Amino acid sequence: MSDQNLIVRRKRALAPSYQLFYDEPVQLVRGEGVWVYDASGRRYLDCYNNVPSVGHAHPRVIAALAEQSGLINTHTRYLHSKVVELAERLGDMLPGDLGVCYFVCTGTEANDLAMQIARVVTGNHGAIVTERSYHGNSDLVGRLSTDTYPASERPDWLAVVEPPNVYRGPYTDAASYAREVSRGIDGLAERGHSPAAMLIDTSWDSNGVLVAPNGYVAQSAAIVRSAGGLVIADEVQAGYCRLGTHFWGHTRYELVPDVVTIGKPMGAGHPVAAVVTTPSIAAEFARHRNYFNTFGGNPVSAAVALAVLDVIDEEQLLENATSTGQLFGDRLGELANRHAVIGAVQGSGLFWGLDLVAGRDTKEPIAYADAKRLATSLRRRGILTGVTGRYTNVLKLRPPLVFQPEHLDVLIAELDDLLGNFELKGGDDNRALGAEW
Ligand SMILES: Cc1ncc(COP(=O)(O)O)c(C=O)c1O
């Protein structure tokens, strides 16, 4: 099927809200490890996709899926050892009392349930998120995703605070950013609300891939808790080794959250997600609400999720995210020394953002049109990347966890060559709502 033919049919048959990556969309038909192949057989280096966390089409994950599919697939109202094993394993991997699981299918569902839990348990209605946050797409979670709708439509129960962007400011220190959280809570009080929860994505992906100053996360959590709210660590992006050195983003920031939400990488392409909380919070929620999710926690999903954890252990993917991640940062730093368009190199592990600027003195973000053109040029060179950030000027690099130094060499060589010849042309669509996640 030709790409053009498929684009025409897709436009007719799929809702116009859907977007395609790149000015020249790519039709992927097969993947293996960090490589993906289009319909003509051309190979691309995947520097973008975190969902196939342990690599595309990992044989161990496929075998687990096939084996359990060939036995039975039911739901959590029947006994099954795999779903219990998965819950126990996740609990063992999380800090503090976190050890009671709910299974769902997407990150959105996880955050929706986490927010429902927070509201029921605290008796409060408010929520705190960062400017240009993304946490999912349901009616409730969509409101928590300030990246997706105009500011004028924000509900009065929502406090939106500055993300901890030490390059762009407005501050560089933890205490000033944490004071933003206090101010957000004061604003909620003026509108008659108290916080049920603050949602923290410790990769700050939609904000441009940020690294918070030391102490910011802990200080913010203390402020939220003293106002009666819970702290929800949204690990949909940051979890599963993504940031290197720690399996979870929140442990990297020495936070013990009240609720953890997990999604994308958990099933390496299979839709499985989870909410984990403490026994006391779960018991309080159960006093007020029943919960059932037909597909969440089915034995096939549980088998897949267990296989993903096995692969991460056996292939030492946390160690790889740490060591290849260190090299990644070093190599991007060298690129920044050669190309003034790179204003800042942000991130850690296997999640990096290049904040691209028209001038280093002004830090003026490059136009969205230029950022998209850059990603399309890389796609032409056989490298898949994306664009993110408050000003949609951040080139996002987030490969599967099996990314190795030799793959980094390929990416850096292409980026170096491209940036050496890249001309900024500007454009007036500087900020589209809802970039790419
Ligand atoms: C931080 C974060 N939370 C939640 C979600 C929602 O996950 P899903 O698309 O599986 O509903 C996303 C999706 O990109 C995300 O980036």
Side-chain angles (χ1 to χ4, degrees), residues 2-129:
S2 83
D3 291 358
Q4 273 322 312
N5 184 312
L6 202 54
I7 289 170
V8 171
R9 285 176 51 208
R10 183 186 145 114
K11 267 206 174 125
R12 262 201 307 264
L14 266 67
S17 316
Y18 281 110
Q19 296 169 6
L20 278 166
F21 281 158
Y22 313 122
D23 298 336
E24 294 153 23
V26 56
Q27 183 184 171
L28 298 177
V29 297
R30 189 167 74 79
E32 191 181 352
V34 294
W35 298 100
V36 289
Y37 298 81
D38 72 11
S40 73
R42 181 168 182 210
R43 187 172 88 150
Y44 298 80
L45 180 62
D46 187 354
C47 296
Y48 184 79
N49 287 293
N50 57 341
V51 172
S53 48
V54 295
H56 290 271
H58 195 291
R60 176 84 183 258
V61 177
I62 295 167
L65 188 144
E67 191 190 342
Q68 187 56 48
S69 303
L71 290 171
I72 193 164
N73 202 14
T74 52
H75 53 72
T76 47
R77 282 184 171 158
Y78 297 102
L79 276 174
H80 200 282
S81 62
K82 288 209 164 86
V83 71
V84 177
E85 193 191 330
L86 177 61
E88 287 171 347
R89 237 166 120 175
L90 288 172
D92 288 347
M93 297 169 71
L94 282 159
D97 276 353
L98 291 163
V100 179
C101 293
Y102 305 80
F103 289 106
V104 294
C105 307
T106 66
T108 297
E109 272 188 282
N111 283 329
D112 196 295
L113 176 58
M115 198 58 212
Q116 289 182 50
I117 292 171
R119 282 182 167 172
V120 165
V121 167
T122 63
N124 298 337
H125 201 68
I128 305 159
V129 296

Side-chain angles (χ1 to χ4, degrees), residues 105-109 111 134-137 201 205 234 236-237 264 437:
C105 307
T106 66
T108 297
E109 272 188 282
N111 283 329
Y134 188 76
H135 296 287
N137 61 21
D201 160 17
D205 169 17
D234 179 341
V236 169
Q237 294 283 347
K264 294 178 191 274
W437 309 285

Side-chain angles (χ1 to χ4, degrees), residues 13 31 96 130-131 134 158 180 200 296 321 337 361 370:
T130 55
E131 186 62 69
Y134 188 76
L158 187 66
E180 279 279 306
I200 307 181
N337 290 338
D361 43 350
D370 280 330

Side-chain angles (χ1 to χ4, degrees), residues 250-295:
H250 62 265
T251 44
R252 196 180 149 82
Y253 284 100
E254 295 174 2
L255 170 72
V256 181
D258 302 297
V259 185
V260 172
T261 57
I262 315 168
K264 294 178 191 274
M266 187 177 170
H270 181 84
V272 51
V275 177
V276 192
T277 189
T278 65
S280 61
I281 290 175
E284 181 60 16
F285 185 62
R287 264 192 283 282
H288 299 270
R289 297 278 190 284
N290 212 337
Y291 188 76
F292 175 61
N293 187 313
T294 301
F295 293 110

